[in-house]
C-alpha cells in the first residue's frame, strides 16, 4: 500500500537547498577559469552522495568511502569506472575526513588533471561547510551512526 | 560567479517522499547525460547499490544485465526491482544504464512493487511533436507524474489531423 505524501519538482538554475526532515538536495554550478564545474550534494541522515561534473553532465566514476576506526582514516573503493583511473578517489577520502560520514561520490573529472581535482574539491568542501555538513578539525573525525 | 539567468542545471532531478507499508521512503531520481540515478531510502543511507543496463545485441528482444556493485549480494528481490526499472525506462533508442540505490527496512514484494510504481510514475520523458512535416516542435516534459503526457500528445495530434507523432527525438530524426 503506497501513498504519495509530498512531491517536489525542482527547476534548477540557481543554487538551491530543499529542506526536509529526511533528505536534502543541493545543486550548484561554479565557473572557474575556462572550466565549468557542476555539483550535486544529497544529504542523507547517515551518508552524503555527491556528484562532480566537469563541463559535462556525464555520471563518471563512482566511489564509496567509509570512515575507518583506528587513526581516523578512511577507506575508498571504486564501484563503477574501473581501477586504472582513480580520479576522484582521493576527493572521496577527504570528504569522509571532513564530514565524518560515509560518502558515495560520482565524478567525471578527466584523469591526470590534479589541478581540476583540487579546484573541484575546494569548491565542494566550501559548500559542504556552508551547509553545515562538515565537522571542525578540533572534533576530529566524528563518527556519526 | 553569476551564471546567465535561465541557464538550467544540467542534471534534472525529482524528489518524492512516500509511505510504503508504514515506512517513510524518500526517492530521488536524477538524469545525467549517460546514466539514470535512482536513490530510494528508508534508513537514511543509500544501502545496496545496483547497476542495470541494456545489453547491446542483434536480437529483436533486448536483454538486460543487473549487478550489485555495493552492499547485499544475496537479495534476489533487489535485483528484480532493478531489472523491472531498467526494462521500463529503456526504450528502443534510449538505453541509459541505471544506478539504483535501495536502502530499505524490508525487502518484501509489496515494498519493492511500491518502489517500482513510484519511480515509473515519476520518470522523465521527452516528446517530439511533428507539425505539417515542416518543422518539429520539441515538447519537453521533464516530469510526467500529473498525467500521461505521451497519451496527451497523441490525442492532440489526432485532433489536429497531424500525420505523425514520435515519442523520442532519435526516431523522429531517423524519419527524415
Amino acid at each position: 500500500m503506497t501513498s504519495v505524501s509530498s512531491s517536489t519538482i525542482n527547476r534548477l538554475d540557481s543554487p538551491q537547498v530543499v529542506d526536509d526532515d529526511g533528505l536534502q538536495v543541493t545543486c550548484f554550478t561554479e565557473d572557474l577559469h575556462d572550466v565549468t564545474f557542476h555539483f550535486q550534494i544529497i544529504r542523507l541522515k547517515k551518508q552524503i552522495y555527491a556528484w562532480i561534473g566537469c563541463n559535462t553532465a556525464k555520471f563518471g566514476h563512482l566511489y564509496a568511502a567509509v570512515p575507518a576506526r583506528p587513526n581516523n582514516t578512511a577507506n575508498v573503493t571504486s564501484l563503477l569506472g574501473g581501477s586504472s583511473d582513480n580520479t576522484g578517489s582521493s576527493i572521496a577520502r577527504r570528504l569522509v575526513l571532513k564530514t565524518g560520514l560515509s560518502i558515495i561520490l560520482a565524478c567525471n573529472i578527466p584523469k591526470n588533471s590534479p589541478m581540476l581535482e583540487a579546484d573541484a574539491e575546494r569548491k565542494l568542501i566550501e559548500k559542504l561547510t556552508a551547509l553545515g555538513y562538515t565537522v571542525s578539525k578540533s572534533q576530529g573525525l566524528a563518527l556519526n551512526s | 560567479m553569476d551564471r546567465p539567468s535561465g541557464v538550467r542545471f544540467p542534471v534534472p532531478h525529482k524528489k518524492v517522499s512516500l509511505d510504503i507499508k508504514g515506512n517513510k521512503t524518500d526517492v530521488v531520481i536524477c538524469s545525467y547525460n549517460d546514466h539514470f540515478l535512482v536513490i530510494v531510502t528508508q534508513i537514511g543511507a543509500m544501502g545496496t547499490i545496483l547497476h542495470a543496463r541494456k545489453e547491446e545485441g542483434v536480437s529483436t528482444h533486448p536483454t538486460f544485465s543487473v549487478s550489485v556493485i555495493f552492499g547485499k549480494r544475496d537479495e534476489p528481490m533487489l535485483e528484480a526491482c532493478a531489472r523491472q526499472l531498467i526494462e521500463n525506462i529503456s526504450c528502443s533508442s534510449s538505453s541509459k544504464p541505471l544506478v539504483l540505490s535501495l536502502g530499505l527496512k524490508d525487502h518484501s514484494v509489496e515494498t519493492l512493487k511500491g518502489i517500482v510504481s513510484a519511480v515509473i510514475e515519476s520518470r522523465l520523458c521527452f516528446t517530439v511533436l511533428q507539425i505539417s512535416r515542416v518543422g518539429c516542435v520539441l515538447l519537453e516534459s521533464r516530469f510526467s507524474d500529473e498525467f500521461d503526457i505521451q497519451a496527451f500528445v497523441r490525442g492532440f495530434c489526432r485532433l489536429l489531423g497531424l500525420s505523425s507523432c514520435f515519442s523520442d527525438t532519435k526516431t523522429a530524426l531517423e524519419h527524415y
Side-chain angles (χ1 to χ4, degrees):
Chain A
M1 212 177 305
T2 72
S3 60
V4 179
S5 57
S6 72
S7 115
T8 309
I9 299 176
N10 278 285
R11 301 255 143 63
L12 300 161
D13 47 14
S14 57
Q16 203 170 107
V17 178
V18 179
D19 222 322
D20 202 18
D21 57 10
L23 205 139
Q24 294 178 338
V25 184
T26 307
C27 300
F28 64 103
T29 297
E30 294 275 350
D31 288 309
L32 284 160
H33 317 301
D34 50 355
V35 166
T36 300
F37 284 116
H38 304 289
F39 298 93
Q40 250 185 345
I41 301 171
I42 300 181
R43 172 68 154 108
L44 305 164
K45 216 161 75 166
K46 304 188 248 180
Q47 211 174 37
I48 290 180
Y49 164 82
W51 171 72
I52 303 175
C54 179
N55 292 323
T56 73
K58 290 196 149 130
F59 190 61
H61 295 217
L62 187 65
Y63 302 96
V66 296
R69 221 164 257 277
N71 304 327
N72 291 338
T73 50
N75 290 327
V76 188
T77 183
S78 164
L79 305 184
L80 276 183
S83 51
S84 60
D85 175 0
N86 279 329
T87 311
S89 62
S90 51
I91 300 179
R93 177 178 285 111
R94 280 192 285 275
L95 291 179
V96 170
L97 299 177
K98 288 282 182 181
T99 61
L101 298 170
S102 66
I103 299 284
I104 306 287
L105 175 73
C107 167
N108 72 12
I109 298 174
K111 65 180 180 176
N112 301 324
S113 321
M115 295 301 296
L116 291 179
E117 272 192 82
D119 286 339
E121 183 183 327
R122 192 181 66 247
K123 286 291 168 191
L124 184 56
I125 289 181
E126 267 173 31
K127 180 60 92 170
L128 288 171
T129 307
L131 291 167
Y133 298 161
T134 53
V135 295
S136 64
K137 277 192 184 156
S138 58
Q139 288 176 267
L141 188 64
L143 296 168
N144 299 320
S145 56
Chain B
M1 301 235 168
D2 284 345
R3 311 208 82 221
S5 61
V7 177
R8 282 195 210 223
F9 189 75
V11 179
H13 81 266
K14 174 147 193 211
K15 186 166 97 86
V16 170
S17 195
L18 52 142
D19 181 294
I20 298 180
K21 288 176 77 180
N23 293 317
K24 177 173 183 274
T25 310
D26 290 308
V27 179
V28 182
I29 302 165
C30 303
S31 176
Y32 301 91
N33 270 4
D34 56 351
H35 270 86
F36 281 112
L37 169 69
V38 175
I39 298 177
V40 181
T41 179
Q42 297 174 334
I43 59 174
M46 284 172 75
T48 300
I49 305 179
L50 301 103
H51 186 241
R53 65 177 199 284
K54 191 167 100 169
E55 301 270 300
E56 297 303 319
V58 289
S59 73
T60 46
H61 293 291
T63 53
F64 302 92
S65 93
V66 174
S67 60
V68 175
I69 58 174
F70 187 74
K72 292 186 158 73
R73 282 167 170 78
D74 52 0
E75 283 280 359
M77 290 305 298
L78 302 184
E79 294 195 23
C81 181
R83 184 171 293 277
Q84 284 222 307
L85 286 175
I86 188 71
E87 285 178 10
N88 202 279
I89 67 179
S90 287
C91 52
S92 53
S93 56
S94 152
S95 52
K96 284 202 290 199
L98 167 71
V99 174
L100 172 67
S101 104
L102 294 170
L104 305 174
K105 289 187 173 156
D106 77 86
H107 297 157
S108 66
V109 174
E110 257 188 316
T111 298
L112 290 158
K113 277 187 171 171
I115 289 166
V116 172
S117 60
V119 173
I120 288 172
E121 278 168 28
S122 311
R123 75 172 184 264
L124 310 174
C125 71
F126 295 88
T127 306
V128 175
L129 171 68
Q130 180 210 17
I131 296 182
S132 307
R133 290 191 195 170
V134 171
C136 64
V137 172
L138 179 68
L139 178 72
E140 184 181 290
S141 166
R142 289 186 181 261
F143 306 100
S144 61
D145 62 333
E146 296 302 329
F147 56 88
D148 183 341
I149 192 148
Q150 296 198 17
F152 171 77
V153 171
R154 279 182 220 282
F156 185 64
C157 287
R158 268 198 302 276
L159 246 154
L160 294 179
L162 296 175
S163 54
S164 356
C165 173
F166 303 102
S167 62
D168 59 83
T169 318
K170 186 169 180 241
T171 316
L173 292 171
E174 276 166 0
H175 186 83
Y176 294 100

